[in-house]
Amino acid sequence: MTQVLWSPIRKKDRPQEEMIMDALRNVHIFKNLTNKEIKKILSLVYTRKYKKGDYIFKQGHPGNGMYIILNGTIQIIQEKREENIHQEELLATLHSGDFLGELSLLDEAPRSASALCLEQTEALGFFRGDLMDLLNRDPLLGSKIVLNVARVLAERLRITNQQLADLQEKEARHVKEE
Amino acid sequence: MNLTENQRFIIRLILFLALITGLILILPRLKSIITVIVISILMFTLLDSFVDKLERFKIPRALSALMVILIILLLIAFGISRVVPLVENAAKQISQSFNSENTFTEKLETGIVSLTNKLPFNTATIDIPERINGLINTLKKNLPTALIGFARGLISTFSSFFFVLFITFFFLKDERKIKKTLIRFVPNRYFEMSINLMDKIQRQLSAYLKGLFLAATNVGITSIIGLFLVNTFLDAGINYIILIGLWAGLANLIPYVGPTAGAIPAVISVLFTQPPNTFLVVLAVIAVFVLVQFIDNNFTSPYLVGKNVELHPLIVFLVLIIGGNLMGLLGMMLAVPIAGIIKVTVGEILTNAPKYRL
């Protein structure tokens, strides 16, 4: 109980820098980084405050980097336009500690969905240009991050492959049954 | 208060005109500080990647920036300590030649007459001795003072350059802090776009300025090698080859005018030294500068500077006039790089901003 009561106050008391470093440590692309390395990342990230209803980014805009939510809630919405019908599909709701857009660290492919703030939100932005600079200035740290992004990609590819294999199996079974 | 669209437009127009008038009134007063800041930004863009490279060796950013600035400072101090005595020496020699007027006039006259006799067209109608005397009188009045002034100017430029290096150091050291502070003022709506544009513009500018710098260095070095070969094979005895090469490299920043301006001191030097085969040597010197320009225009500059920053000759002409009017020779040298920077910036904005349908 005491823990529950005091933790938000303690959290508030802690310097902003510590809070941001904690948030960074929890993101898988910054895992296995030393404290010194996390501090280096700290000098590269941008802290932004968004009002309710603000878009962090919009679908179709060039992907430029990733965001980590420090506090607040955002919705990931995908717009679909088919034969003059405009639909919005909610893909996910993200909260404090969640992150999004990490694949934009690798290329400028357009954002596949929009990120809309449901309440006052504070987020950290880490961008491709800074990662490229980091690769130039500190290749070891830069390559650690790129390797972590590659791991995320590999994991997603494995899941997609599994889903595709399941689908194919299902379809083959369906054809057999017919 | 509800304003109509027209009223809003008129208010914006008035504010815009007031801003422009204010800038026109204030800018001339801030000319020197603006010059220092512009040159500092150019230096920062040029040196940033060197500081990044030093950081690779785990040297802290501040120390890396300091090292780069100190190296530049040492190079400039060394260059000036070499160039100033050379220029002063040249000025003294010229002034001595003027004092023994007959020998000098005769030397130059013989040089030019032997040169014109070799030309395939008739120059008998031109009164060469009279023209030379006129030229000598003008040179006599102005050249030695101008050269000594130039040498002293270099020293005073060095002291203003010290401020440039001081500001550049902080730009290099606190690059990220400055960028973060600037970005803080950008509304969320334009945040991603600004980050993207700043990054792309900085990369393009850095490549462009490095290209210009390398192309100028290449012109300087190839001119020195060319003149050295002329001296070796034709026994031309051209003086101040390194000084002429340095000047040719610097002058190359001024398109169209630069290559000729680079060749003139070399030709004058030949006319001064009066080698036995003056005509051949002058031809060889001109050939060297034509070849240097050919290499620069067809091989190095397109590769180093890139075709995408090519400016229309009319724009080059206009910016040279504006640069010359505002800041003299320095303005002419900075005009094209600054025009290139504006072109890169506008180009990046026009290419990338529409991708963000705001």
Side-chain angles (χ1 to χ4, degrees), chain B residues 252-293:
Chain B
N252 199 56
L253 292 174
I254 310 172
Y256 310 118
V257 190
T260 324
I264 288 171
V267 174
I268 290 179
S269 175
V270 174
L271 294 176
F272 257 92
T273 43
Q274 286 280 309
N277 45 354
T278 310
F279 182 70
L280 192 65
V281 175
V282 168
L283 276 185
V285 166
I286 292 170
V288 162
F289 280 94
V290 170
L291 189 67
V292 165
Q293 280 309 311

mmCIF file of all heavy atoms in Angstrom, chain B residues 252-293:
data_model
loop_
_atom_site.group_PDB
_atom_site.id
_atom_site.type_symbol
_atom_site.label_atom_id
_atom_site.label_comp_id
_atom_site.label_asym_id
_atom_site.label_seq_id
_atom_site.Cartn_x
_atom_site.Cartn_y
_atom_site.Cartn_z
ATOM 1 N N ASN B 252 39.481 30.617 -57.060
ATOM 2 C CA ASN B 252 38.602 29.654 -57.732
ATOM 3 C C ASN B 252 37.192 29.658 -57.144
ATOM 4 O O ASN B 252 36.251 29.207 -57.776
ATOM 5 C CB ASN B 252 39.212 28.251 -57.611
ATOM 6 C CG ASN B 252 38.633 27.313 -58.629
ATOM 7 O OD1 ASN B 252 38.681 27.588 -59.815
ATOM 8 N ND2 ASN B 252 38.043 26.227 -58.163
ATOM 9 N N LEU B 253 37.057 30.200 -55.905
ATOM 10 C CA LEU B 253 35.721 30.295 -55.307
ATOM 11 C C LEU B 253 34.852 31.308 -56.052
ATOM 12 O O LEU B 253 33.636 31.295 -55.918
ATOM 13 C CB LEU B 253 35.831 30.700 -53.829
ATOM 14 C CG LEU B 253 36.445 29.661 -52.888
ATOM 15 C CD1 LEU B 253 36.633 30.254 -51.510
ATOM 16 C CD2 LEU B 253 35.569 28.419 -52.806
ATOM 17 N N ILE B 254 35.510 32.201 -56.826
ATOM 18 C CA ILE B 254 34.745 33.179 -57.610
ATOM 19 C C ILE B 254 34.649 32.636 -59.032
ATOM 20 O O ILE B 254 35.655 32.645 -59.752
ATOM 21 C CB ILE B 254 35.438 34.567 -57.627
ATOM 22 C CG1 ILE B 254 35.800 34.980 -56.196
ATOM 23 C CG2 ILE B 254 34.572 35.597 -58.298
ATOM 24 C CD1 ILE B 254 36.642 36.235 -56.121
ATOM 25 N N PRO B 255 33.471 32.139 -59.444
ATOM 26 C CA PRO B 255 33.382 31.555 -60.775
ATOM 27 C C PRO B 255 33.660 32.590 -61.872
ATOM 28 O O PRO B 255 33.464 33.791 -61.661
ATOM 29 C CB PRO B 255 31.923 31.098 -60.872
ATOM 30 C CG PRO B 255 31.416 31.135 -59.496
ATOM 31 C CD PRO B 255 32.211 32.133 -58.749
ATOM 32 N N TYR B 256 34.073 32.124 -63.001
ATOM 33 C CA TYR B 256 34.363 32.927 -64.202
ATOM 34 C C TYR B 256 35.549 33.886 -64.012
ATOM 35 O O TYR B 256 36.466 33.908 -64.786
ATOM 36 C CB TYR B 256 33.132 33.702 -64.704
ATOM 37 C CG TYR B 256 31.921 32.812 -64.827
ATOM 38 C CD1 TYR B 256 30.769 33.042 -64.080
ATOM 39 C CD2 TYR B 256 31.942 31.701 -65.674
ATOM 40 C CE1 TYR B 256 29.672 32.186 -64.171
ATOM 41 C CE2 TYR B 256 30.857 30.849 -65.763
ATOM 42 C CZ TYR B 256 29.726 31.094 -65.012
ATOM 43 O OH TYR B 256 28.664 30.248 -65.097
ATOM 44 N N VAL B 257 35.498 34.716 -62.933
ATOM 45 C CA VAL B 257 36.552 35.705 -62.711
ATOM 46 C C VAL B 257 37.776 35.013 -62.102
ATOM 47 O O VAL B 257 38.923 35.331 -62.438
ATOM 48 C CB VAL B 257 36.068 36.810 -61.729
ATOM 49 C CG1 VAL B 257 37.037 37.959 -61.673
ATOM 50 C CG2 VAL B 257 34.677 37.270 -62.092
ATOM 51 N N GLY B 258 37.506 34.044 -61.216
ATOM 52 C CA GLY B 258 38.548 33.392 -60.430
ATOM 53 C C GLY B 258 39.712 32.827 -61.229
ATOM 54 O O GLY B 258 40.872 33.166 -60.968
ATOM 55 N N PRO B 259 39.419 31.954 -62.234
ATOM 56 C CA PRO B 259 40.525 31.348 -62.982
ATOM 57 C C PRO B 259 41.463 32.389 -63.608
ATOM 58 O O PRO B 259 42.689 32.245 -63.530
ATOM 59 C CB PRO B 259 39.807 30.555 -64.073
ATOM 60 C CG PRO B 259 38.469 30.252 -63.487
ATOM 61 C CD PRO B 259 38.114 31.414 -62.625
ATOM 62 N N THR B 260 40.890 33.469 -64.186
ATOM 63 C CA THR B 260 41.724 34.516 -64.782
ATOM 64 C C THR B 260 42.506 35.239 -63.692
ATOM 65 O O THR B 260 43.715 35.470 -63.827
ATOM 66 C CB THR B 260 40.842 35.542 -65.534
ATOM 67 O OG1 THR B 260 39.777 34.825 -66.133
ATOM 68 C CG2 THR B 260 41.614 36.320 -66.550
ATOM 69 N N ALA B 261 41.804 35.553 -62.593
ATOM 70 C CA ALA B 261 42.458 36.248 -61.479
ATOM 71 C C ALA B 261 43.603 35.402 -60.927
ATOM 72 O O ALA B 261 44.604 35.937 -60.453
ATOM 73 C CB ALA B 261 41.447 36.542 -60.382
ATOM 74 N N GLY B 262 43.450 34.078 -60.983
ATOM 75 C CA GLY B 262 44.502 33.196 -60.499
ATOM 76 C C GLY B 262 45.712 33.207 -61.410
ATOM 77 O O GLY B 262 46.856 33.125 -60.957
ATOM 78 N N ALA B 263 45.488 33.355 -62.733
ATOM 79 C CA ALA B 263 46.585 33.292 -63.706
ATOM 80 C C ALA B 263 47.370 34.598 -63.790
ATOM 81 O O ALA B 263 48.573 34.579 -64.078
ATOM 82 C CB ALA B 263 46.036 32.922 -65.076
ATOM 83 N N ILE B 264 46.703 35.732 -63.527
ATOM 84 C CA ILE B 264 47.351 37.041 -63.713
ATOM 85 C C ILE B 264 48.675 37.192 -62.938
ATOM 86 O O ILE B 264 49.698 37.553 -63.533
ATOM 87 C CB ILE B 264 46.361 38.199 -63.420
ATOM 88 C CG1 ILE B 264 45.352 38.263 -64.575
ATOM 89 C CG2 ILE B 264 47.070 39.540 -63.256
ATOM 90 C CD1 ILE B 264 44.195 39.200 -64.351
ATOM 91 N N PRO B 265 48.703 36.886 -61.599
ATOM 92 C CA PRO B 265 49.973 37.067 -60.883
ATOM 93 C C PRO B 265 51.111 36.222 -61.478
ATOM 94 O O PRO B 265 52.262 36.671 -61.501
ATOM 95 C CB PRO B 265 49.674 36.598 -59.463
ATOM 96 C CG PRO B 265 48.226 36.477 -59.360
ATOM 97 C CD PRO B 265 47.648 36.392 -60.711
ATOM 98 N N ALA B 266 50.750 35.018 -61.983
ATOM 99 C CA ALA B 266 51.788 34.154 -62.563
ATOM 100 C C ALA B 266 52.369 34.804 -63.818
ATOM 101 O O ALA B 266 53.598 34.848 -63.999
ATOM 102 C CB ALA B 266 51.196 32.790 -62.887
ATOM 103 N N VAL B 267 51.492 35.359 -64.665
ATOM 104 C CA VAL B 267 51.960 36.003 -65.902
ATOM 105 C C VAL B 267 52.806 37.240 -65.558
ATOM 106 O O VAL B 267 53.874 37.455 -66.140
ATOM 107 C CB VAL B 267 50.755 36.363 -66.814
ATOM 108 C CG1 VAL B 267 51.218 37.153 -68.027
ATOM 109 C CG2 VAL B 267 50.031 35.101 -67.255
ATOM 110 N N ILE B 268 52.322 38.032 -64.568
ATOM 111 C CA ILE B 268 53.083 39.231 -64.159
ATOM 112 C C ILE B 268 54.473 38.816 -63.672
ATOM 113 O O ILE B 268 55.485 39.432 -64.028
ATOM 114 C CB ILE B 268 52.331 40.027 -63.063
ATOM 115 C CG1 ILE B 268 51.095 40.676 -63.682
ATOM 116 C CG2 ILE B 268 53.220 41.091 -62.426
ATOM 117 C CD1 ILE B 268 50.239 41.465 -62.723
ATOM 118 N N SER B 269 54.491 37.728 -62.876
ATOM 119 C CA SER B 269 55.767 37.252 -62.347
ATOM 120 C C SER B 269 56.729 36.884 -63.479
ATOM 121 O O SER B 269 57.923 37.171 -63.403
ATOM 122 C CB SER B 269 55.507 36.063 -61.420
ATOM 123 O OG SER B 269 56.702 35.516 -60.996
ATOM 124 N N VAL B 270 56.198 36.262 -64.553
ATOM 125 C CA VAL B 270 57.039 35.905 -65.700
ATOM 126 C C VAL B 270 57.584 37.176 -66.360
ATOM 127 O O VAL B 270 58.772 37.275 -66.675
ATOM 128 C CB VAL B 270 56.241 35.078 -66.738
ATOM 129 C CG1 VAL B 270 57.072 34.830 -67.985
ATOM 130 C CG2 VAL B 270 55.796 33.772 -66.135
ATOM 131 N N LEU B 271 56.700 38.176 -66.533
ATOM 132 C CA LEU B 271 57.127 39.423 -67.178
ATOM 133 C C LEU B 271 58.194 40.128 -66.352
ATOM 134 O O LEU B 271 59.052 40.835 -66.878
ATOM 135 C CB LEU B 271 55.931 40.341 -67.421
ATOM 136 C CG LEU B 271 54.904 39.818 -68.446
ATOM 137 C CD1 LEU B 271 53.720 40.755 -68.544
ATOM 138 C CD2 LEU B 271 55.538 39.633 -69.824
ATOM 139 N N PHE B 272 58.113 39.933 -65.028
ATOM 140 C CA PHE B 272 59.109 40.532 -64.141
ATOM 141 C C PHE B 272 60.459 39.857 -64.278
ATOM 142 O O PHE B 272 61.482 40.509 -64.374
ATOM 143 C CB PHE B 272 58.644 40.378 -62.683
ATOM 144 C CG PHE B 272 58.095 41.636 -62.128
ATOM 145 C CD1 PHE B 272 56.745 41.898 -62.206
ATOM 146 C CD2 PHE B 272 58.929 42.567 -61.545
ATOM 147 C CE1 PHE B 272 56.229 43.063 -61.720
ATOM 148 C CE2 PHE B 272 58.417 43.741 -61.063
ATOM 149 C CZ PHE B 272 57.058 44.001 -61.146
ATOM 150 N N THR B 273 60.416 38.506 -64.221
ATOM 151 C CA THR B 273 61.687 37.771 -64.184
ATOM 152 C C THR B 273 62.386 37.769 -65.548
ATOM 153 O O THR B 273 63.590 37.551 -65.611
ATOM 154 C CB THR B 273 61.487 36.323 -63.706
ATOM 155 O OG1 THR B 273 60.324 35.823 -64.349
ATOM 156 C CG2 THR B 273 61.320 36.243 -62.219
ATOM 157 N N GLN B 274 61.590 38.000 -66.617
ATOM 158 C CA GLN B 274 62.194 38.113 -67.957
ATOM 159 C C GLN B 274 63.081 36.937 -68.336
ATOM 160 O O GLN B 274 64.286 37.117 -68.595
ATOM 161 C CB GLN B 274 63.040 39.383 -68.023
ATOM 162 C CG GLN B 274 62.253 40.646 -68.108
ATOM 163 C CD GLN B 274 61.787 40.901 -69.505
ATOM 164 O OE1 GLN B 274 62.582 40.870 -70.434
ATOM 165 N NE2 GLN B 274 60.517 41.125 -69.673
ATOM 166 N N PRO B 275 62.528 35.717 -68.349
ATOM 167 C CA PRO B 275 63.375 34.620 -68.810
ATOM 168 C C PRO B 275 63.669 34.789 -70.305
ATOM 169 O O PRO B 275 62.934 35.517 -70.995
ATOM 170 C CB PRO B 275 62.521 33.379 -68.548
ATOM 171 C CG PRO B 275 61.127 33.869 -68.498
ATOM 172 C CD PRO B 275 61.162 35.290 -68.071
ATOM 173 N N PRO B 276 64.722 34.136 -70.840
ATOM 174 C CA PRO B 276 65.082 34.339 -72.250
ATOM 175 C C PRO B 276 63.934 33.976 -73.212
ATOM 176 O O PRO B 276 63.788 34.587 -74.256
ATOM 177 C CB PRO B 276 66.289 33.420 -72.454
ATOM 178 C CG PRO B 276 66.446 32.628 -71.206
ATOM 179 C CD PRO B 276 65.640 33.247 -70.146
ATOM 180 N N ASN B 277 63.127 32.973 -72.814
ATOM 181 C CA ASN B 277 62.041 32.541 -73.701
ATOM 182 C C ASN B 277 60.694 33.006 -73.153
ATOM 183 O O ASN B 277 59.787 32.208 -72.920
ATOM 184 C CB ASN B 277 62.082 31.020 -73.858
ATOM 185 C CG ASN B 277 62.291 30.335 -72.503
ATOM 186 O OD1 ASN B 277 62.518 31.019 -71.492
ATOM 187 N ND2 ASN B 277 62.196 29.030 -72.473
ATOM 188 N N THR B 278 60.558 34.328 -72.895
ATOM 189 C CA THR B 278 59.364 34.871 -72.234
ATOM 190 C C THR B 278 58.059 34.395 -72.881
ATOM 191 O O THR B 278 57.130 33.968 -72.191
ATOM 192 C CB THR B 278 59.410 36.418 -72.265
ATOM 193 O OG1 THR B 278 60.673 36.820 -71.798
ATOM 194 C CG2 THR B 278 58.321 37.014 -71.413
ATOM 195 N N PHE B 279 58.011 34.498 -74.218
ATOM 196 C CA PHE B 279 56.774 34.166 -74.920
ATOM 197 C C PHE B 279 56.337 32.733 -74.616
ATOM 198 O O PHE B 279 55.181 32.474 -74.269
ATOM 199 C CB PHE B 279 56.979 34.361 -76.429
ATOM 200 C CG PHE B 279 55.735 34.080 -77.227
ATOM 201 C CD1 PHE B 279 54.638 34.936 -77.164
ATOM 202 C CD2 PHE B 279 55.654 32.967 -78.049
ATOM 203 C CE1 PHE B 279 53.488 34.680 -77.885
ATOM 204 C CE2 PHE B 279 54.503 32.704 -78.777
ATOM 205 C CZ PHE B 279 53.419 33.564 -78.702
ATOM 206 N N LEU B 280 57.317 31.821 -74.721
ATOM 207 C CA LEU B 280 57.038 30.405 -74.486
ATOM 208 C C LEU B 280 56.578 30.175 -73.051
ATOM 209 O O LEU B 280 55.618 29.432 -72.779
ATOM 210 C CB LEU B 280 58.304 29.588 -74.774
ATOM 211 C CG LEU B 280 58.118 28.082 -74.861
ATOM 212 C CD1 LEU B 280 57.238 27.707 -76.035
ATOM 213 C CD2 LEU B 280 59.474 27.396 -74.968
ATOM 214 N N VAL B 281 57.266 30.861 -72.109
ATOM 215 C CA VAL B 281 56.925 30.677 -70.692
ATOM 216 C C VAL B 281 55.513 31.192 -70.402
ATOM 217 O O VAL B 281 54.718 30.533 -69.724
ATOM 218 C CB VAL B 281 57.964 31.371 -69.777
ATOM 219 C CG1 VAL B 281 57.539 31.294 -68.315
ATOM 220 C CG2 VAL B 281 59.329 30.730 -69.945
ATOM 221 N N VAL B 282 55.196 32.400 -70.974
ATOM 222 C CA VAL B 282 53.844 32.942 -70.759
ATOM 223 C C VAL B 282 52.809 31.968 -71.306
ATOM 224 O O VAL B 282 51.795 31.664 -70.650
ATOM 225 C CB VAL B 282 53.700 34.341 -71.412
ATOM 226 C CG1 VAL B 282 52.243 34.772 -71.439
ATOM 227 C CG2 VAL B 282 54.513 35.364 -70.631
ATOM 228 N N LEU B 283 53.094 31.450 -72.515
ATOM 229 C CA LEU B 283 52.173 30.471 -73.106
ATOM 230 C C LEU B 283 52.033 29.253 -72.203
ATOM 231 O O LEU B 283 50.925 28.758 -71.968
ATOM 232 C CB LEU B 283 52.679 30.021 -74.482
ATOM 233 C CG LEU B 283 52.318 30.903 -75.660
ATOM 234 C CD1 LEU B 283 52.790 30.250 -76.959
ATOM 235 C CD2 LEU B 283 50.821 31.168 -75.737
ATOM 236 N N ALA B 284 53.178 28.780 -71.661
ATOM 237 C CA ALA B 284 53.156 27.597 -70.790
ATOM 238 C C ALA B 284 52.361 27.879 -69.524
ATOM 239 O O ALA B 284 51.569 27.025 -69.076
ATOM 240 C CB ALA B 284 54.584 27.184 -70.442
ATOM 241 N N VAL B 285 52.539 29.101 -68.957
ATOM 242 C CA VAL B 285 51.800 29.452 -67.731
ATOM 243 C C VAL B 285 50.299 29.480 -68.015
ATOM 244 O O VAL B 285 49.486 28.926 -67.257
ATOM 245 C CB VAL B 285 52.281 30.826 -67.186
ATOM 246 C CG1 VAL B 285 51.323 31.365 -66.133
ATOM 247 C CG2 VAL B 285 53.675 30.685 -66.583
ATOM 248 N N ILE B 286 49.938 30.109 -69.159
ATOM 249 C CA ILE B 286 48.510 30.155 -69.520
ATOM 250 C C ILE B 286 47.993 28.725 -69.714
ATOM 251 O O ILE B 286 46.906 28.371 -69.233
ATOM 252 C CB ILE B 286 48.286 31.033 -70.770
ATOM 253 C CG1 ILE B 286 48.592 32.497 -70.409
ATOM 254 C CG2 ILE B 286 46.854 30.901 -71.289
ATOM 255 C CD1 ILE B 286 48.652 33.455 -71.574
ATOM 256 N N ALA B 287 48.823 27.895 -70.382
ATOM 257 C CA ALA B 287 48.415 26.498 -70.610
ATOM 258 C C ALA B 287 48.198 25.772 -69.288
ATOM 259 O O ALA B 287 47.242 25.004 -69.137
ATOM 260 C CB ALA B 287 49.465 25.779 -71.446
ATOM 261 N N VAL B 288 49.086 26.056 -68.302
ATOM 262 C CA VAL B 288 48.941 25.415 -66.979
ATOM 263 C C VAL B 288 47.582 25.757 -66.381
ATOM 264 O O VAL B 288 46.833 24.885 -65.931
ATOM 265 C CB VAL B 288 50.081 25.856 -66.028
ATOM 266 C CG1 VAL B 288 49.727 25.579 -64.571
ATOM 267 C CG2 VAL B 288 51.368 25.148 -66.390
ATOM 268 N N PHE B 289 47.230 27.069 -66.419
ATOM 269 C CA PHE B 289 45.968 27.478 -65.800
ATOM 270 C C PHE B 289 44.753 26.972 -66.570
ATOM 271 O O PHE B 289 43.726 26.642 -65.971
ATOM 272 C CB PHE B 289 45.935 29.000 -65.581
ATOM 273 C CG PHE B 289 46.714 29.384 -64.356
ATOM 274 C CD1 PHE B 289 48.055 29.765 -64.450
ATOM 275 C CD2 PHE B 289 46.141 29.300 -63.102
ATOM 276 C CE1 PHE B 289 48.782 30.069 -63.318
ATOM 277 C CE2 PHE B 289 46.857 29.601 -61.967
ATOM 278 C CZ PHE B 289 48.190 29.992 -62.070
ATOM 279 N N VAL B 290 44.876 26.895 -67.906
ATOM 280 C CA VAL B 290 43.778 26.327 -68.711
ATOM 281 C C VAL B 290 43.593 24.853 -68.334
ATOM 282 O O VAL B 290 42.462 24.392 -68.112
ATOM 283 C CB VAL B 290 44.057 26.499 -70.228
ATOM 284 C CG1 VAL B 290 43.056 25.691 -71.058
ATOM 285 C CG2 VAL B 290 43.984 27.977 -70.617
ATOM 286 N N LEU B 291 44.717 24.136 -68.209
ATOM 287 C CA LEU B 291 44.661 22.711 -67.865
ATOM 288 C C LEU B 291 44.084 22.508 -66.459
ATOM 289 O O LEU B 291 43.222 21.632 -66.244
ATOM 290 C CB LEU B 291 46.066 22.102 -67.952
ATOM 291 C CG LEU B 291 46.140 20.583 -67.823
ATOM 292 C CD1 LEU B 291 45.484 19.915 -69.025
ATOM 293 C CD2 LEU B 291 47.588 20.116 -67.713
ATOM 294 N N VAL B 292 44.537 23.370 -65.523
ATOM 295 C CA VAL B 292 44.037 23.288 -64.144
ATOM 296 C C VAL B 292 42.516 23.475 -64.138
ATOM 297 O O VAL B 292 41.769 22.719 -63.509
ATOM 298 C CB VAL B 292 44.724 24.353 -63.256
ATOM 299 C CG1 VAL B 292 43.981 24.549 -61.938
ATOM 300 C CG2 VAL B 292 46.167 23.961 -62.971
ATOM 301 N N GLN B 293 42.050 24.479 -64.914
ATOM 302 C CA GLN B 293 40.609 24.739 -64.987
ATOM 303 C C GLN B 293 39.876 23.602 -65.664
ATOM 304 O O GLN B 293 38.770 23.235 -65.263
ATOM 305 C CB GLN B 293 40.337 26.063 -65.720
ATOM 306 C CG GLN B 293 40.525 27.279 -64.860
ATOM 307 C CD GLN B 293 39.762 27.198 -63.545
ATOM 308 O OE1 GLN B 293 38.583 26.888 -63.525
ATOM 309 N NE2 GLN B 293 40.443 27.446 -62.434
#
